[in-house]
Amino acid sequence: MISTEVRSSQTLTPQARPLLYWTIADALVLAKRHLLQIPRIPDELIFATIQPIMFVLLFRYVFGGAIAVSGTTYVNFLMAGIFVQTVIFGSTSTGIGLATDLQRGLIDRFRSLPMAKSAVLTGRTISDLIRNTFVVMVMWTVGLLVGFQPQGNFFSWLAAAGLLLLTSFAFSWISATIGLLVHSVEAAQSAGFIWLFPLTFASSAFVPTQSMPYWLRVFAEHQPVTQIVNATHGLLLNHPDGSTIGIAIAWCVGILVVFIPLAVRQYGRRTAR
């Protein structure tokens, strides 16, 4: 809305700014709108933070003693998986939020405004990215409290954070596509998690893949979550693997290349009705 007001105040020079400027400006305005809702509805952020904390405590103190890992402590092995799980599960809020806006008719109001078609989607994914950043910072603190000892340097930790944010952004576009395909908020909630559970738990996030049956290990070792977890694990524990990091980034970029056009196309179909 803010960018729309700015446009109306510059009607004498409508071509003063390029289209890309307005696309970015519209997305940032909508991202700000979503972020301003957090203090008004803090429950969503609170529960988004409590869930990964419960996973940390559960695996650290209930299952940790029964899971053997080599070369490090289980809590050091665990936290990379927790970080990745946190941003991936957090990305489901993108689809749920879009489904909610569609159900309430808010998208119809956005459609009547002279804004970029992609701004609604990009604004939502940017705001969820910022929210996930906060949750990861909380999880870093919780990890330190339960014995996590990162062994890399500051730059490797920064690289791990960048990979986690890229993962969050990429999976948010998958969630956005799902949220636009279903026709209710309840369906978006269910569909948003169903496909994530096999990817997250059939991976190296919580247990070494060597302990899995062969048929499952083949899947686990070659799916994107395992590659992202392994890359994050290496960066946090000072044994980065360039090829694993490259594969993880390639997975994220590939997801973006496929799902951004799909989400924008489905958004156009839903709003054209």
Side-chain angles (χ1 to χ4, degrees):
M1 296 179 119
I2 296 174
S3 63
T4 306
E5 294 174 1
V6 173
R7 289 191 202 187
S8 62
S9 67
Q10 295 183 352
T11 52
L12 295 179
T13 57
Q15 302 300 324
R17 301 286 188 179
L19 178 61
L20 179 61
Y21 171 85
W22 292 119
T23 301
I24 296 173
D26 291 340
L28 292 178
V29 168
L30 291 179
K32 181 180 178 181
R33 168 188 172 270
H34 298 312
L35 292 174
L36 289 175
Q37 290 179 338
I38 293 177
R40 300 168 189 168
I41 314 175
D43 301 11
E44 295 181 5
L45 183 61
I46 291 172
F47 285 110
T49 306
I50 289 176
Q51 185 186 62
I53 291 176
M54 291 177 62
F55 273 106
V56 171
L57 298 178
L58 180 67
F59 279 91
R60 172 71 175 89
Y61 295 111
V62 178
F63 301 123
I67 301 174
V69 296
S70 60
T72 187
T73 62
Y74 179 70
V75 67
N76 283 347
F77 175 88
L78 171 68
M79 289 311 298
I82 289 292
F83 291 140
V84 174
Q85 182 211 42
T86 298
V87 298
I88 290 178
F89 277 23
S91 68
T92 59
S93 62
T94 302
I96 296 171
L98 286 171
T100 301
D101 289 344
L102 283 165
Q103 187 167 293
R104 292 176 177 174
L106 188 60
I107 298 297
D108 292 332
R109 294 179 60 188
F110 290 149
R111 186 178 59 177
S112 66
L113 298 174
M115 64 167 57
K117 182 188 298 185
S118 62
V120 173
L121 305 179
T122 307
R124 172 70 66 172
T125 54
I126 291 173
S127 65
D128 290 338
L129 178 66
I130 295 173
R131 189 184 70 164
N132 271 342
T133 302
F134 170 78
V135 176
V136 168
M137 292 172 63
V138 173
M139 296 315 303
W140 181 274
T141 303
V142 172
L144 295 177
L145 291 175
V146 299
F148 174 50
Q149 296 178 329
Q151 298 165 7
N153 55 42
F154 174 78
F155 295 104
S156 64
W157 301 346
L158 196 62
L163 178 58
L164 289 172
L165 295 181
L166 177 61
T167 302
S168 172
F169 190 65
F171 277 78
S172 284
W173 283 98
I174 300 178
S175 178
T177 305
I178 294 173
L180 293 167
L181 285 171
V182 299
H183 297 281
S184 70
V185 178
E186 293 76 14
Q189 291 173 332
S190 300
F193 280 101
I194 287 175
W195 64 279
L196 283 178
F197 274 98
L199 282 179
T200 304
F201 289 97
S203 71
S204 61
F206 305 115
V207 297
T209 56
Q210 292 81 1
S211 64
M212 300 177 184
Y214 175 77
W215 60 269
L216 182 59
R217 186 169 72 246
V218 171
F219 166 76
E221 290 179 348
H222 294 89
Q223 56 116 326
V225 174
T226 291
Q227 299 299 327
I228 295 168
V229 168
N230 290 346
T232 305
H233 187 272
L235 288 167
L236 293 177
L237 297 182
N238 202 29
H239 50 79
D241 184 344
S243 62
T244 302
I245 295 171
I247 293 172
I249 293 174
W251 268 111
C252 292
V253 172
I255 290 171
L256 290 171
V257 168
V258 172
F259 282 94
I260 288 179
L262 285 177
V264 173
R265 182 180 180 184
Q266 183 61 25
Y267 175 77
R269 288 181 175 180
R270 290 295 299 269
T271 56
R273 296 175 183 177

